[in-house]
Amino acid sequence: MTDRSRQERNQRALDALIVSQLRRHEDSDEVDCEHLPRLTAEEQQALDSLGPDFIDNLLAGQIKPTEDDPPAEEDELLCAGGTSFGMNRAEEIDGETAEELERKRREIIERLKKKDGDDAQPSS
Amino acid sequence: MTARNPVTEQDLEEVFKDDPDFGIRLLHEDFREVILRYIKKHGWGLQLADWMDIYSQTILEMIQKSREPGFDHRKPLALAFHIAKCRTRDMLRRRKHRANPDTDAILDCVAKDFSESDIGIKLRYPDSVVWEEFQQNLYEVIAALPGRQRIVARVFIDNYEDFRERDTYTPLAELVSNITGKPESVVAVKNAWLEAKQKIVKELTRRGFNFLEAE
């Protein structure tokens, strides 16, 4: 190989390596959560800035996902069940504060843990 | 699940069974990070604002589904991932990306291009490459590229087999132009990809994947 062709071959191999990693087919629905790309500080901040009222705001229509152009018809068939943006059930949601949310969360986790403990007890 | 989450997927399933509305809140509180990481993986090439939009769509659709009669409470996180993947695909199409998932089409090209390169030779003896970690880092590095280089990278990778066969960057420039909405020269687009690739190699090498640089 000449140096030039060697360089070209290495560039092509690099392309191939990157493409083979990013076009890797996922056969199963199992998600390897450990190896998902990590978030940067900026991305984490954007997520945290949604705040504890995110769900209420979403339901109240104060946060609206954009829908600038509808997806192609074939996409609709591939992923049936797109979001209905007309939904608004804010009146059915009570005014839970973040504190209440956390309290209820702790209660449920405790209950689940207790249930697990009871289930593990041998029956006499 | 990551160590950060005190709530397991099984706990989440139990909560969805008893109280789907609270299940949604718990999903957002304890699993939002892993869902966004999943969106980042599948939506590479998009912007953070797009990922956040997809996240909102995912939660809205979870609410909608959880209130349907006969909602199956099992594996709610898997359902959230599925919805996120579909909405990410929609967003990529809206942004005029091809989002090509065809792996079979590239196998022969990849094998051939590896076979006689220095990288290919190094990879015959991959004593320490954990491919899951390599892939994770690659997604992180490519997501951090400047916007234009990210678009060019996405187009290149989605259409790799076409460009490689024809050995020309002309169609790459046309496709990038279609996305950016302005004329793109072949030279500028080629340079953008080469610069992007250089940055990817440099950063991955810095992170310890030192088989990428040719001697």
Side-chain angles (χ1 to χ4, degrees):
Chain A
M1 273 191 284
T2 65
D3 275 351
R4 184 182 167 82
S5 70
R6 184 179 170 187
Q7 193 183 6
E8 279 174 5
R9 284 169 192 267
N10 284 337
Q11 284 298 318
R12 278 189 165 232
L14 198 52
D15 290 346
L17 177 66
I18 294 170
V19 170
S20 66
Q21 291 301 305
L22 297 179
R23 291 257 297 262
R24 191 183 275 185
H25 183 63
E26 290 176 359
D27 281 323
S28 75
D29 286 337
E30 290 296 314
V31 176
D32 177 7
C33 294
E34 293 297 319
H35 291 106
L36 290 172
R38 288 158 291 207
L39 301 183
T40 63
E42 184 197 4
E43 291 156 5
Q44 187 66 57
Q45 196 178 16
L47 199 54
D48 292 344
S49 71
L50 293 176
D53 298 329
F54 171 70
I55 302 288
D56 291 334
N57 292 338
L58 198 62
L59 286 166
Q62 290 170 20
I63 302 170
K64 286 184 180 167
T66 56
E67 199 177 29
D68 37 11
D69 297 310
E73 194 175 334
E74 61 176 294
D75 299 336
E76 288 297 299
L77 292 171
L78 279 170
C79 283
T83 304
S84 166
F85 296 98
M87 183 179 63
N88 184 342
R89 297 182 60 176
E91 68 280 4
E92 294 178 28
I93 301 294
D94 63 14
E96 275 185 334
T97 62
E99 202 174 312
E100 283 177 64
L101 180 65
E102 182 57 27
R103 181 184 54 74
K104 193 172 176 186
R105 180 172 167 276
R106 280 199 301 269
E107 275 176 17
I108 288 186
I109 292 167
E110 282 305 310
R111 182 163 55 79
L112 289 170
K113 281 180 181 165
K114 188 171 182 301
K115 190 181 163 200
D116 282 351
D118 292 345
D119 289 347
Q121 293 289 327
S123 54
S124 54
Chain B
M1 196 41 53
T2 58
R4 190 175 167 273
N5 284 323
V7 179
T8 66
E9 287 179 64
Q10 202 178 354
D11 293 338
L12 188 67
E13 190 172 307
E14 289 286 325
V15 173
F16 263 91
K17 185 181 176 186
D18 293 344
D19 183 352
D21 277 356
F22 184 64
I24 294 290
R25 289 172 191 276
L26 200 60
L27 180 73
H28 171 63
E29 284 297 312
D30 281 59
F31 295 89
R32 63 187 174 205
E33 183 180 333
V34 78
I35 294 172
L36 193 68
R37 288 172 65 187
Y38 183 80
I39 292 168
K40 179 176 181 174
K41 177 179 176 180
H42 289 274
W44 72 270
L46 297 172
Q47 300 177 43
L48 175 57
D50 290 330
W51 299 344
M52 297 305 291
D53 200 38
I54 294 164
Y55 178 77
S56 297
Q57 289 181 38
T58 301
I59 298 297
L60 256 183
E61 202 165 322
M62 281 297 291
I63 294 168
Q64 188 186 35
K65 285 191 183 301
S66 72
R67 291 176 173 181
E68 284 172 1
F71 168 69
D72 186 351
H73 68 274
R74 291 170 297 176
K75 298 190 174 179
L77 186 60
L79 177 61
F81 283 143
H82 174 74
I83 293 169
K85 193 173 184 178
C86 290
R87 300 290 77 83
T88 302
R89 191 161 28 190
D90 290 345
M91 185 68 81
L92 283 163
R93 299 284 167 91
R94 281 194 197 108
R95 300 286 179 252
K96 298 180 179 166
H97 285 290
R98 187 178 172 194
N100 185 357
D102 189 351
T103 310
D104 292 345
I106 61 171
L107 291 178
D108 288 345
C109 308
V110 167
K112 191 167 187 299
D113 285 347
F114 267 159
S115 63
E116 291 180 6
S117 71
D118 294 338
I119 292 169
I121 291 165
K122 285 183 188 178
L123 287 177
R124 284 178 202 162
Y125 311 100
D127 51 353
S128 62
V129 181
V130 179
W131 288 106
E132 289 81 4
E133 286 178 11
F134 178 77
Q135 195 187 36
Q136 177 187 26
N137 279 273
L138 179 57
Y139 278 116
E140 288 166 9
V141 171
I142 212 160
L145 290 172
R148 187 179 142 76
Q149 287 176 14
R150 218 168 46 226
I151 289 172
V152 172
R154 179 92 218 191
V155 173
F156 182 88
I157 285 153
D158 281 340
N159 298 278
Y160 161 77
E161 61 270 39
D162 300 339
F163 304 143
R164 188 194 167 282
E165 279 303 306
R166 293 159 70 180
D167 203 18
T168 170
Y169 281 80
T170 305
L172 180 64
E174 287 166 5
L175 288 167
V176 171
S177 174
N178 192 29
I179 291 171
T180 60
K182 56 184 183 183
E184 301 281 355
S185 80
V186 175
V187 174
V189 166
K190 181 178 180 179
N191 285 341
W193 169 239
L194 294 179
E195 275 175 42
K197 204 160 53 169
Q198 209 170 24
K199 284 180 187 169
I200 292 168
V201 170
K202 192 175 174 186
E203 179 57 22
L204 286 174
T205 303
R206 192 188 68 78
R207 293 183 183 204
F209 299 98
N210 48 16
F211 56 88
L212 295 167
E213 286 187 316
E215 281 138 16

